Amino acid sequence: MPTSTRMAEAPAAGASAIPPAPRKTLHATRRREGLAAVLFLVPALGFLLVFVAYPLANAGMLSFFKWDGFSPREWIGFDNFTRLFADEVFWSSLKNNALIAVAAIVFQVGLGMVIAYWLVRVVPRFKRTAMFLYVIPVVISEICIGLLWQFVYNPYFGLLNGFLDLIGLGSLEQGWLGDRNLAMPAVLVVMNLTYLGLYILLFVAAFQDVDESVYEAAALDGAGHFRTFFGISVPMIFSNVQATVLLAVVTSFKTFSLVFVMTRGGPNNATDVVSTYLFKVGFGNFEAGYASAIGIAQLVITAVVGVFVLTASRPRQQKAVA
């Protein structure tokens, strides 16, 4: 037999001579890896159990009681939820949450997507400066933002009325946060301006991940920015759009700080959202049981709306991928 043939066969023979790893060793390795994974998860699971699961379970149990926080609890069954269905303030608060969610989808997600495309594809040289300016409100405390806009909307020495008077439109001066018809639109303006930068940042990152060759092919076909935006950019990042819409909806249904600091839900509950109404009931009226029922209802409604958003966008996502 030639020497080269013997040398070629030698490694194969040597390789086959190595026995396979024992099953017990593999099981022991997997067991150690599983134990290590559990040990790493224990702190997070403990945090969730103590600060999320237990308070949630306690609130669910408390929603079946009448309790002012001090005297003994009184079992009343589903009376808190029956009262909730007939509570006009709760439904008007939920309506305000829905209005905030719609405005967030249109202005924060929609407008943020347009501005992000404009920064990435039209004027990329100004992208970093613009992103820095847009993100500033996001990193500032909501309490500080609410106090600042209280000053802007002040009817006596506020910047908005002062500006209107300066340009000769003093007849348009209003008590913006004290008018039942103007308070909620004024709050919506603040919310959209505050969180717009976050969605611009998310969409800038998404648009930058789109392959440049796709845009080059569209340019060769004569596609303008309008066709490129709706025909290429949006379908290519549709999973990001779905995630940001879900984020906007969930955030809108649990908003609290800006509304509470600016209006405390007034005037006459005109700007109340579910969270501010819950706070008033629980810590203002000392109705802990009813406040817990409101919190459980808020959780269920938010979860249902979130599932609806995911379900409604799934067929379109599959079409875009196809």
Side-chain angles (χ1 to χ4, degrees):
M1 180 182 294
T3 305
S4 59
T5 304
R6 290 198 302 268
M7 293 178 63
E9 292 178 351
S16 61
I18 299 176
R23 290 187 177 182
K24 291 184 178 180
T25 304
L26 292 176
H27 288 314
T29 302
R30 291 174 180 175
R31 191 180 301 112
R32 285 196 300 269
E33 292 177 351
L35 180 60
V38 170
L39 291 176
F40 279 112
L41 288 174
V42 164
L45 292 176
F47 181 87
L48 291 175
L49 287 174
V50 174
F51 295 102
V52 178
Y54 172 73
L56 184 60
N58 190 45
M61 180 183 64
L62 189 59
S63 64
F64 296 102
F65 288 86
K66 180 180 180 181
W67 188 44
D68 60 4
F70 304 98
S71 59
R73 301 180 182 184
E74 178 185 349
W75 173 267
I76 58 174
F78 288 93
D79 287 358
N80 283 327
F81 294 97
T82 304
R83 174 186 171 186
L84 189 65
F85 281 107
D87 191 341
E88 294 182 359
V89 179
F90 170 76
W91 291 108
S92 65
S93 302
L94 184 61
K95 179 182 176 181
N96 286 337
N97 278 113
L99 182 61
I100 292 171
V102 172
I105 293 173
V106 174
F107 294 103
Q108 297 174 29
V109 177
L111 183 60
M113 193 165 18
V114 173
I115 294 176
Y117 175 85
W118 181 72
L119 291 175
V120 173
R121 303 300 309 168
V122 182
V123 287
R125 68 179 67 180
F126 300 112
K127 181 178 60 179
R128 292 186 178 180
T129 303
M131 287 176 60
F132 173 77
L133 296 176
Y134 281 124
V135 171
I136 287 178
V138 179
V139 300
I140 298 177
S141 169
E142 289 185 349
I143 296 176
C144 295
I145 293 175
L147 293 174
L148 174 63
W149 278 94
Q150 264 192 334
F151 174 72
V152 173
Y153 284 134
N154 190 283
Y156 304 107
F157 51 82
L159 294 179
L160 182 54
N161 282 347
F163 175 74
L164 292 175
D165 184 64
L166 181 65
I167 62 176
L169 298 176
S171 59
L172 298 179
E173 294 181 13
Q174 303 287 339
W176 302 98
L177 298 180
D179 190 319
R180 183 177 178 85
N181 297 320
L182 296 176
M184 195 62 207
V187 172
L188 287 175
V189 169
V190 177
M191 286 187 173
N192 289 315
L193 290 178
T194 300
Y195 296 112
L196 177 63
L198 171 64
Y199 294 92
I200 292 175
L201 180 66
L202 294 174
F203 283 122
V204 164
F207 284 136
Q208 287 179 335
D209 286 339
V210 178
D211 193 346
E212 186 67 25
S213 62
V214 178
Y215 290 116
E216 293 175 356
L220 291 176
D221 289 339
H225 287 298
F226 184 84
R227 288 178 56 192
T228 301
F229 178 76
F230 287 102
I232 296 176
S233 296
V234 174
M236 293 287 287
I237 65 164
F238 189 78
S239 60
N240 302 81
V241 176
Q242 183 188 38
T244 52
V245 169
L246 180 62
L247 174 64
V249 170
V250 171
T251 304
S252 299
F253 274 89
K254 68 181 187 68
T255 186
F256 173 79
S257 301
L258 277 176
V259 176
F260 188 78
V261 171
M262 292 180 64
T263 65
R264 285 166 177 73
N268 194 24
N269 303 115
T271 59
D272 256 327
V273 291
V274 175
S275 296
T276 58
Y277 183 52
L278 185 155
F279 181 85
K280 291 179 181 179
V281 170
F283 296 96
N285 301 340
F286 297 102
E287 297 181 86
Y290 187 47
S292 298
I294 295 174
I296 295 299
Q298 181 185 23
L299 174 64
V300 172
I301 292 171
T302 304
V304 169
V305 173
V307 171
F308 173 78
V309 170
L310 292 175
T311 305
S313 60
R314 188 172 298 160
R316 185 177 175 184
Q317 183 184 16
Q318 292 175 353
K319 183 178 178 181
V321 173

